[in-house]
Amino acid sequence: MNFWIDKKVLITGVNGFVGGNIAKKLVKLGAEVFGIVRTNKMNSYLFYENIDKKISLISGELCDIKLLSRIISEEEINVIYHLAAQVEVGIGLNNPYLTFESNVRGTYTLLESVRQFPDSVKAFVVASSDKAYGEYSKGEMPYKEDYPLKPEYPYDTSKACADMIARSYSYVPHKLPIVITRFSNIYGPGQLNFSALFPDAIRSALGYSDFVPRGNGSMMRDFLFIEDVVDLYIRIAEALSKDKENITGQIFNAGTNNPKTVKHILEKVFSSTGNIDEYNKILKRMENKKTTGEIDCQFMDYEKVENFFGWTPNHSVDEGIDKTIKWYKRYLKDRYIKPIV
């Protein structure tokens, strides 16, 4: 319980959904948290929950090697969570250059900064994605850590590239204390990208917007609740700091091994808010709608992280959705005068 007291932690992407939740937890555990932000985007979990007042925010670009080197050396950073990325699949399709600059160049710039000043850094956790694997058949699911990476789309490819570059820094001669995480879709309180499934569906179910269908709802995905994700990230960094020899260079998948269709998620969200009639209307709008640039079926198990860290997901999708809806009710009430319908 005392591991994190006075530890200096750098989080890239701290103003994002996962980064903000990790920062909140680390502050509670006694860590000194630093976050790099490109803009002070006030409409984020970090600012909404007043976490920004409890950490040190540094304005700058992730591709600025002088800035990153100065932070790591002067602040004597102990743990790094590299979460910053361009995460929109649609933006990746329309603007691959931006996606590669952010996800690939940003990653190797940070890695090179740590290589120059490695003495204080005991754990470097790089967030990759299940999409780095590319498309496998349903019969080959769940993804396993030893599956070859064969992405096709720009976002997926950017994560695979960053993933492999990071691993290269974990080998001799550099042998930086790096692990790669490939998690399934993450949801929960604080996800304010309303093009994502859960925020869009919940906001619509509560009457603040119209849901935007992006397919026919048949795609299967694995969904991890944010509290379970934060718990696992904490465990990984602790273990890596204590056992560098056995954990450095490892890849860790995490999911529930219990995938759900998009239709299932929508039905649960709209029924939980007493708005099942709206769900039925959405189903009709989704008929024959095609999705471009996304993999049909993705999910993974948690066998390896359970063996290494004793971690299993604590929340079912139903439990996670109920907690998430409760948070959004508060957030949307604070942000809007009243529902639009």
Side-chain angles (χ1 to χ4, degrees), residues 134-150:
E135 189 159 11
Y136 283 79
S137 69
K138 289 183 180 180
E140 295 172 295
M141 293 286 110
Y143 291 126
K144 297 292 186 180
E145 285 87 351
D146 60 356
Y147 277 21
L149 304 183
K150 52 176 189 178

Side-chain angles (χ1 to χ4, degrees), residues 20-202:
N21 273 276
I22 292 178
K24 183 177 182 179
K25 180 67 174 181
L26 288 174
V27 167
K28 288 183 178 180
L29 292 174
E32 183 178 356
V33 178
F34 300 82
I36 299 173
V37 291
R38 186 173 60 181
T39 60
N40 287 331
K41 182 180 68 173
M42 302 299 290
N43 186 26
S44 69
Y45 184 75
L46 187 79
F47 288 96
Y48 179 70
E49 297 284 349
N50 295 315
I51 306 163
D52 61 297
K53 297 180 174 62
K54 302 173 184 177
I55 68 175
S56 299
L57 290 179
I58 302 164
S59 180
E61 295 284 344
L62 192 56
C63 295
D64 185 345
I65 192 168
K66 291 183 179 179
L67 173 66
L68 298 180
S69 298
R70 180 179 61 79
I71 295 169
I72 292 166
S73 61
E74 292 184 3
E75 302 298 344
E76 298 182 320
I77 297 297
N78 307 127
V79 176
I80 298 174
Y81 287 103
H82 178 40
L83 310 172
Q86 192 297 104
V87 299
E88 291 286 339
V89 172
I91 292 176
L93 290 170
N94 296 323
N95 194 340
Y97 176 82
L98 174 64
T99 302
F100 292 137
E101 278 287 287
S102 175
N103 298 359
V104 182
R105 186 181 174 197
T107 298
Y108 68 66
T109 302
L110 179 59
L111 286 161
E112 188 62 17
S113 300
V114 176
R115 186 188 69 81
Q116 293 177 18
F117 301 97
D119 293 343
S120 64
V121 178
K122 305 303 180 186
F124 190 149
V125 183
V126 178
S128 185
S129 168
D130 56 354
K131 292 178 175 54
Y133 287 108
E135 189 159 11
Y136 283 79
S137 69
K138 289 183 180 180
E140 295 172 295
M141 293 286 110
Y143 291 126
K144 297 292 186 180
E145 285 87 351
D146 60 356
Y147 277 21
L149 304 183
K150 52 176 189 178
E152 295 180 0
Y153 304 114
Y155 171 74
D156 309 9
T157 301
S158 75
K159 297 304 287 185
C161 288
D163 183 318
M164 291 188 288
I165 290 169
R167 287 195 77 203
S168 74
Y169 277 79
S170 73
Y171 299 127
V172 175
H174 312 306
K175 208 168 185 181
L176 299 181
I178 294 169
V179 297
I180 312 297
T181 62
R182 299 174 186 158
F183 293 172
S184 59
N185 293 266
I186 303 169
Y187 74 99
Q191 188 178 21
L192 296 179
N193 172 13
F194 284 97
S195 67
L197 175 61
F198 280 90
D200 193 11
I202 294 172

Side-chain angles (χ1 to χ4, degrees), residues 21 24 44-45 47-51 188-190 192 194 202 206 208 322-337:
N21 273 276
K24 183 177 182 179
S44 69
Y45 184 75
F47 288 96
Y48 179 70
E49 297 284 349
N50 295 315
I51 306 163
L192 296 179
F194 284 97
I202 294 172
L206 294 174
Y208 288 89
D322 289 341
K323 281 189 173 184
T324 305
I325 289 173
K326 183 178 180 181
W327 184 86
Y328 277 99
K329 284 181 177 179
R330 174 168 64 92
Y331 172 82
L332 292 169
K333 185 178 180 181
D334 288 344
R335 286 291 182 266
Y336 298 88
I337 298 173

